[in-house]
Amino acid sequence: MQRTLRLLAIVAGLCVTTEALAQKYPVRPVKIMVGFSAGGPVDVVARIIADRLGNKLGQAFVVENRAGANGMIAAEGVAHAEADGYTMLACNSSTITLNKTLFKDIRYDPEKDLAPLTTIVSAPLVLVVNPENPKTADIKTVADLVAAAKAKPGELAYGSGGNGNLAHLAMELLSQKAGVKMIHVPYRGGAASEVGILAQEVLAVFDPLSAVPLVKAGKLRALAVSSAERLPSLPDVPTVAEAGYPGFDLSFWVGFFMPKATPAPILEALHREIIAAATDPMLKERLETQGVVSVLSPVEYAAKIAKETTELAEVVAAANIKAE
């Protein structure tokens, strides 16, 4: 009986300590590790949120760029950092959902080592063809593209920003769902693949949001968007799911994580403040330069990660995709 009471007292003391820690948090600067170079989407989002958190919580949130290995260097650093609330990770979707499948030497487990806070922005891909290309002039829907691919199995070429890139996987996923086979032409980045389709080197591309102005100018024709919902800037363009492939939902997203064992009150406080920042009208406008503002609860975020990780692993295995 006395032993039980002592254990209860210890547990109660730990709870009080944790709550007190959260109430005082933060008492020193917080590091936000970014696995990509300054000026890119992850870095831009991280710095917008960092400024807001610093102003609201009274301590500096300092962005530290540790670029390399598709975000793995920064992710590993946070995964193995002390779980005291003073090391945060800002990363993109591939760091979490793809690296585990593509790289054998990965030294962190996203689901076991990192606690998800929320996504901030989500950038769908736009499936486009070149209306000036004679081979795609009559392709106006996803069904048209699929029919063309079925008519010439293994002959139609599509571009992406590189082997294992999300645009590559999106087209492979569509191909698998539609039962077609196309030729993959990897470029060195999304901008290069965009040049490739404009130059009529490839017939289709899942393009980043940089394609929107080209679509509006008539230089590219949008067949569908990769997200579960339509893109506000292209309201008349259906989703791939609406085009006949239910459940299709892939986007390039940017989000935040903490080491897994970070005290729950600190995770809750950070989640609350990040959500407030992302939904503030003034900050939202700045964030929307990087995509559609999209925030989730930690539970929703974890479910999203699990679904995408499983789905993309199946695509990688079926297409025998290897990391470059």
Side-chain angles (χ1 to χ4, degrees), residues 4-225:
T4 300
L5 290 173
R6 283 198 299 271
L7 287 173
L8 289 173
I10 291 171
V11 171
L14 288 173
C15 290
V16 170
T17 301
T18 301
E19 290 176 4
L21 175 65
Q23 289 173 359
K24 294 178 181 178
Y25 174 86
V27 296
R28 65 177 191 271
V30 178
K31 181 192 302 180
I32 301 179
M33 293 178 64
V34 173
F36 301 89
S37 301
V42 179
D43 179 75
V44 170
V45 170
R47 291 179 188 279
I48 291 172
I49 298 299
D51 287 345
R52 169 62 177 255
L53 292 178
N55 291 333
K56 284 290 185 178
L57 298 177
Q59 288 288 341
F61 280 69
V62 182
V63 173
E64 180 178 310
N65 297 91
R66 290 196 186 179
N70 201 29
M72 286 196 291
I73 296 172
E76 182 184 349
V78 175
H80 302 305
E82 188 174 352
D84 56 3
Y86 291 92
T87 308
M88 183 185 298
L89 174 68
C91 67
N92 66 20
S93 48
S94 61
T95 302
I96 302 299
T97 61
L98 267 177
N99 285 355
K100 187 176 178 180
T101 298
L102 286 177
F103 298 97
K104 294 182 179 180
D105 60 344
I106 186 170
R107 291 184 290 274
Y108 65 95
D109 187 314
E111 295 182 68
K112 293 180 180 179
D113 298 332
L114 297 169
L117 290 172
T118 183
T119 53
I120 300 295
V121 296
S122 180
L125 300 169
V126 185
L127 178 58
V128 295
V129 295
N130 186 342
E132 297 179 1
N133 187 335
K135 295 180 180 179
T136 54
D138 294 328
I139 295 178
K140 299 179 180 180
T141 66
V142 174
D144 291 341
L145 179 64
V146 170
K150 286 184 175 180
K152 296 183 178 181
E155 293 185 28
L156 272 65
Y158 72 90
S160 82
N163 202 47
N165 179 277
L166 189 63
H168 177 199
L169 296 179
M171 192 68 86
E172 284 297 331
L173 177 59
L174 176 59
S175 298
Q176 290 170 21
K177 286 181 175 291
V180 298
K181 181 66 177 177
M182 294 188 282
I183 299 171
H184 176 225
V185 180
Y187 289 85
R188 292 187 178 276
S193 69
E194 199 169 80
V195 171
I197 193 169
L198 290 170
Q200 302 183 17
E201 296 172 349
V202 292
L203 300 186
V205 169
F206 263 109
D207 226 353
L209 292 183
S210 59
V212 172
L214 293 171
V215 170
K216 291 185 175 182
K219 298 294 184 181
L220 293 174
R221 177 184 294 140
L223 307 183
V225 294

Side-chain angles (χ1 to χ4, degrees), residues 97 119 122 249 251 253 294 296 299-309:
T97 61
T119 53
S122 180
D249 181 15
S251 293
W253 47 256
S294 174
L296 300 171
V299 172
E300 291 170 333
Y301 197 6
K304 179 179 179 68
I305 290 166
K307 176 180 178 296
E308 287 187 13
T309 301

